[in-house]
Every structure is written in structure tokens, then in C-alpha cells.
Amino acid sequence: MLGDILLVTLHGEVHDGTVGQLQQDVAQRIAHSTATGVVIDISGVDVVDSFLGRILADIASTARLSAARTVLAGMRPAVAITLVELGLAPPGLHTAPDVARARELLGRHASSGTSSDAEDGP
């Protein structure tokens, strides 16, 4: 945890079993903490398959239902294309080029009192 932000970092090849456990672990951490934001750093992930993409979307949805905003950090263009092609870019999921910018984005929303239902402009 970085203050009220839960930081999740993924590296290398992520296996299905690991991803399934990750989803449960993140949900538990949000439920038992004061987290208002989740940053998932995927800069170390080369390939996002349909299962990982779905789990990332599910984590974001679960976090949103728990009043925590999610930001995917470090997404490569190929990964972004994959998520869009798979239809796994959920509403309310924001992106940032790196973890520092993701933390800034979450902090800006928290300090401005923006609700978790608000969408960023273009």
C-alpha cells in the first residue's frame, strides 16, 4: 500500500493460476483496507491474453463496486489494442503511462471530490 493506494505489479509471463489468485488477493486487500485506489502496473507484461485481460477488467469492476478507482499503468500499445479487440476495456478504467502518473491521477480525483462514477474527458 502506498497511503490509500494499493499497488499491484505484474512482470513477465503471468500464468492463469497466478492471475486467479491475484484477483482474490486484490479483492481481499480492498475490502480489509482503506484503499480508495488501485494501480495495476503492467509495464513488465509483454502479452495479455483473453484470460488476463478479463481478470484485469474484473479487478477494476470489483474495485469500483468497493468505491476504489483503478488505473492501469505502463500499458504498451499492443496490450491496449488486445484489450479493445477483446472488448475488455471496462467503463471507469483509466490508464497512465507509469505508476507515478497513475498515483497523480488517483490523488487528483480524491482531492477534487470526484465520484467514482465520473469519467475523464478526452
Side-chain angles (χ1 to χ4, degrees):
M1 293 280 296
L2 301 169
D4 60 353
I5 298 172
L6 176 60
L7 176 61
V8 179
T9 304
L10 302 177
H11 290 285
E13 186 176 332
V14 183
H15 301 284
D16 291 356
T18 305
V19 174
Q21 185 62 48
L22 173 69
Q23 181 180 15
Q24 292 177 5
D25 291 347
V26 170
Q28 288 291 324
R29 284 297 297 266
I30 293 169
H32 296 97
S33 72
T34 59
T36 59
V38 178
V39 174
I40 304 174
D41 180 9
I42 61 171
S43 61
V45 176
D46 293 324
V47 177
V48 173
D49 63 11
S50 61
F51 185 70
L52 177 56
R54 184 175 56 82
I55 295 296
L56 291 173
D58 288 350
I59 289 171
S61 295
T62 300
R64 187 173 183 163
L65 289 172
S66 299
R69 298 176 57 84
T70 301
V71 178
L72 277 181
M75 186 179 328
R76 297 174 187 196
V79 171
I81 290 168
T82 299
L83 290 176
V84 170
E85 287 176 347
L86 295 172
L88 297 173
L93 179 64
H94 301 279
T95 61
D98 54 43
V99 171
R101 300 274 286 282
R103 290 180 66 199
E104 288 174 15
L105 177 64
L106 289 171
R108 189 167 52 242
H109 284 289
S111 65
S112 69
T114 303
S115 77
S116 61
D117 292 327
E119 294 293 326
D120 284 345

